[in-house]
Amino acid sequence: MNADEQKRAAAVRALDFIEPGMKLGLGTGSTAEHFVRALGARVKEGLEIVGVPTSERTGKLAESLGIPLSNLDDTPHLDITVDGADELDIELRLIKGGGGALLREKIVATASDRMIVIADASKLVSTLGAFPLPVEVIPFGCTVTAHKMADVASAFGCTGRIVRRADEYGEPFFTDSENFIYDCAFGEIPDPDGLAAALNRIAGVVDNGLFIGIAAMAIVGTPAGTNIIEAK
Ligand code: 5RP
């Protein structure tokens, strides 16, 4: 299986954990899209669930597939969130936010009894950090905030370029919550737990893409099939 087939296989296997009546968080990105499409097919066959999307993009897709939707204000407690990741390690610590949806993804995942991560084999790493860590930042004073992020990160052994994300036209990228994303090319992150907490203490940082202690299970597609990793 190639990478996209691995993503799809992981997404389809996640359906095994979905039961009628569940309230589901719907992730963002190409892997999550495979899940939403597969879920939409089950809904057409009669499966009754309610979905809470983690982005405008996912909401539009789910709506087009006829998946009944809600939001966290009306449906504050979810059974399972299924979402992709940019990187995961064996302890199920994640880097997310490549698609710019990390804030809503974290809010939805932590409103759920379980987060199931779906990914292709390339996402499983021994040490997080090859993928630049996305950090969501309030536009006001963002340059100061970015300097503080660099200082804090260096105290955790993380150096490397911190770049404000741009869209395909070179204009600043805005999240669904109208914030900026800074991508931090730290390389290996020796202490993800410490770095995540320290970044979030900086005024102006809304949240960062490290998901620590949130995922309960990962389904990883491989060339030979899917593997399940469960949180200890
Ligand atoms: C979006 C995310 C995605 O889950 C992550 O970027 C993985 O994307 P893909 O499934 O397309 O590889 O965190 O904010």
Side-chain angles (χ1 to χ4, degrees):
M1 287 197 284
N2 65 31
D4 194 58
E5 289 165 343
Q6 292 173 28
K7 289 178 181 189
R8 187 165 186 287
V12 168
R13 185 144 184 213
L15 283 176
D16 292 350
F17 299 90
I18 308 305
E19 292 169 14
M22 278 188 164
K23 300 176 185 98
L24 302 174
L26 307 177
T28 296
S30 58
T31 319
E33 192 176 314
H34 280 304
F35 176 75
V36 173
R37 289 188 186 283
L39 184 67
R42 290 286 168 89
V43 166
K44 271 208 179 76
E45 292 163 8
L47 175 68
E48 291 189 10
I49 52 90
V50 172
V52 172
T54 54
S55 63
E56 303 293 330
R57 180 174 138 198
T58 296
K60 281 190 189 119
L61 174 66
E63 198 175 12
S64 75
L65 295 166
I67 297 175
L69 293 181
S70 184
N71 56 59
L72 280 186
D73 297 316
D74 294 335
T75 310
H77 174 243
L78 306 179
D79 297 292
I80 295 179
T81 285
V82 180
D83 201 350
D86 298 300
E87 281 186 353
L88 67 147
D89 70 11
I90 197 71
E91 291 180 45
L92 298 192
R93 296 180 294 193
L94 318 174
I95 287 183
K96 286 185 54 55
L102 69 95
L103 177 60
R104 292 192 187 188
E105 289 172 334
K106 202 180 275 187
I107 294 171
V108 170
T110 54
S112 309
D113 286 342
R114 297 170 85 195
M115 178 193 194
I116 299 180
V117 178
I118 49 177
D120 64 276
S122 72
K123 305 291 184 62
L124 185 59
V125 297
S126 51
T127 307
L128 297 175
F131 188 91
L133 175 66
V135 180
E136 184 155 344
V137 169
I138 298 271
F140 181 86
C142 61
T143 307
V144 175
T145 306
H147 284 140
K148 288 191 177 156
M149 284 160 47
D151 287 348
V152 162
S154 71
F156 284 85
C158 295
T159 53
R161 288 193 71 205
I162 297 181
V163 177
R164 191 170 76 182
R165 191 178 294 181
D167 65 17
E168 67 263 44
Y169 309 106
E171 300 297 325
F173 172 89
F174 284 95
T175 68
D176 284 346
S177 303
E178 301 291 327
N179 295 313
F180 292 146
I181 297 277
Y182 280 80
D183 292 304
C184 307
F186 291 144
E188 289 196 352
I189 299 174
D191 178 6
D193 310 42
L195 179 65
L199 285 172
N200 280 9
R201 282 196 292 269
I202 300 171
V205 169
V206 185
D207 211 334
N208 69 82
L210 285 161
F211 283 46
I212 310 284
I214 296 176
M217 175 192 286
I219 305 174
V220 181
T222 75
T226 50
N227 291 336
I228 289 189
I229 306 170
E230 294 202 70
K232 298 210 172 73

